[in-house]
Amino acid sequence: MSVPTTNTQRPATGSSWPSAAAAEVEILAILAEITDAHAARDAARLVAPYTADAVRYSLAPPLQQRPGTMVGDIEGVRRWLDTFDGPITIEYREPVVMVGGDVAFVHALTRMVATPAGSPDPFSLWFRTTLGLRRAEGTWSIAHEHSSTPFLMDGSFLAATDLEP
Amino acid sequence: MSVPTTNTQRPATGSSWPSAAAAEVEILAILAEITDAHAARDAARLVAPYTADAVRYSLAPPLQQRPGTMVGDIEGVRRWLDTFDGPITIEYREPVVMVGGDVAFVHALTRMVATPAGSPDPFSLWFRTTLGLRRAEGTWSIAHEHSSTPFLMDGSFLAATDLEP
């Protein structure tokens, strides 16, 4: 992990700088690791950044993922990976990171491109990602994840899966 | 706003306690205020807890609310309130608050009960809420909101609006 070391001038505000700036770099590295782990289809790397008690609100039901639900544990993530052929591309668009001490949150519009198992063509889906993070013993982990699309309020109740930023 | 003042014993961990405990009380008071403002159908009170540049990922499109979108500003919130008859009931189920310095996040399963304008009956909807907050000049504000339902991965792409915790 690379942490900026050259620009040590303290800005006018932000009492925890440069530690907050370093934390932001570390948190963006977690997003990069999640992207790489999807590309590599590596379930162990996909769950590694999360706390053991992370609360996940995922794209698919249930309301809240737990061990035994779709992506609530490493076995669930493996089964989820098996529903796709080939690499899964994740792109976080201009993530916004806010850090206070050992707590942070991030939000970003997110694009997923993947090919359902047995399908000839990939799909592209834009959704919204929010992460809540905690730092323990110097390491940031994801304590909360919220991923979603909006849904149409026209009476169809269809997920809005064709939106773009 | 009531802040605990009697129990000043410091726990074994948590370097920022009791300030973090006081912050949690203040943040839970914001959730209570949002609940009350929905019951009162008061658009000004509904937007007051947000920063001017808050980024909202709402139940309905677009991906991200901005001034001029459905609930991106006070006029949008007024129009949204007009789509319901009578009070709107919001219940946050066991919210989890994490505070670090001047940054915090909260997540909670959330129930909304409301009657669409002209409809004889209310609906009940469980969804997921995540808030990212910042404190400036002693006041917490919502800098980011993410509200959603999951959607069905059975090919129907229907929002899962009938889930319960």
Side-chain angles (χ1 to χ4, degrees):
Chain A
M1 182 131 9
S2 104
V3 171
T5 55
T6 51
N7 180 0
T8 54
Q9 187 180 356
R10 185 176 175 137
T13 59
S15 58
S16 59
W17 195 91
S19 65
E24 182 172 334
V25 170
E26 292 166 8
I27 289 165
L28 291 175
I30 291 176
L31 296 186
E33 167 64 9
I34 292 173
T35 297
D36 292 349
H38 276 94
R41 303 173 56 90
D42 188 326
R45 284 173 64 192
L46 280 171
V47 301
Y50 292 80
T51 65
D53 60 351
V55 174
R56 300 174 208 205
Y57 301 161
S58 297
L59 287 175
L63 283 169
Q64 182 170 314
Q65 301 286 333
R66 294 189 183 84
T69 63
M70 192 184 70
V71 295
D73 54 31
I74 192 167
E75 289 306 321
V77 171
R78 281 206 185 99
R79 286 193 299 273
W80 179 78
L81 288 168
D82 286 343
T83 65
F84 300 102
D85 285 336
I88 297 163
T89 303
I90 298 286
E91 172 197 346
Y92 296 102
R93 172 74 63 94
E94 296 172 9
V96 173
V97 185
M98 293 203 183
V99 180
D102 291 327
V103 171
F105 66 87
V106 188
H107 56 83
L109 298 184
T110 308
R111 187 185 194 192
M112 174 179 177
V113 179
T115 303
S119 170
D121 298 309
F123 65 84
S124 168
L125 173 68
W126 280 97
F127 58 99
R128 301 89 60 89
T129 300
T130 304
L131 302 177
L133 299 104
R134 290 193 314 231
R135 182 165 50 188
E137 296 175 6
T139 301
W140 287 98
S141 300
I142 301 168
H144 173 58
E145 177 179 76
H146 191 160
S147 301
S148 80
T149 66
F151 70 89
L152 302 180
M153 301 285 178
D154 59 3
S156 73
F157 297 100
L158 279 170
T161 55
D162 59 350
L163 301 175
E164 296 187 9
Chain B
M1 180 137 3
S2 104
V3 172
T5 55
T6 51
N7 180 1
T8 54
Q9 187 179 356
R10 187 175 175 136
T13 60
S15 60
S16 59
W17 195 91
S19 65
E24 183 172 333
V25 169
E26 292 166 9
I27 289 165
L28 292 175
I30 291 176
L31 296 186
E33 166 65 8
I34 292 173
T35 297
D36 291 350
H38 276 95
R41 304 172 56 93
D42 188 325
R45 284 173 65 191
L46 279 170
V47 302
Y50 293 80
T51 65
D53 60 352
V55 174
R56 299 174 210 204
Y57 302 160
S58 298
L59 287 174
L63 284 169
Q64 183 170 315
Q65 302 286 332
R66 292 189 186 83
T69 63
M70 191 185 68
V71 294
D73 55 29
I74 192 166
E75 288 306 322
V77 172
R78 282 205 184 98
R79 286 192 299 274
W80 179 78
L81 288 169
D82 286 343
T83 66
F84 300 102
D85 285 334
I88 297 163
T89 303
I90 298 286
E91 172 196 348
Y92 295 102
R93 172 74 64 97
E94 295 172 10
V96 173
V97 184
M98 293 205 182
V99 179
D102 292 327
V103 170
F105 66 87
V106 189
H107 55 84
L109 298 185
T110 309
R111 187 184 195 191
M112 175 179 175
V113 179
T115 303
S119 170
D121 298 309
F123 65 83
S124 168
L125 173 69
W126 280 97
F127 58 100
R128 301 90 60 90
T129 300
T130 304
L131 302 177
L133 299 103
R134 288 193 315 232
R135 181 165 51 188
E137 297 175 3
T139 301
W140 287 99
S141 300
I142 301 168
H144 173 58
E145 177 180 76
H146 190 159
S147 301
S148 79
T149 66
F151 71 88
L152 301 180
M153 299 288 179
D154 59 2
S156 73
F157 296 100
L158 280 170
T161 54
D162 59 351
L163 301 175
E164 297 187 9

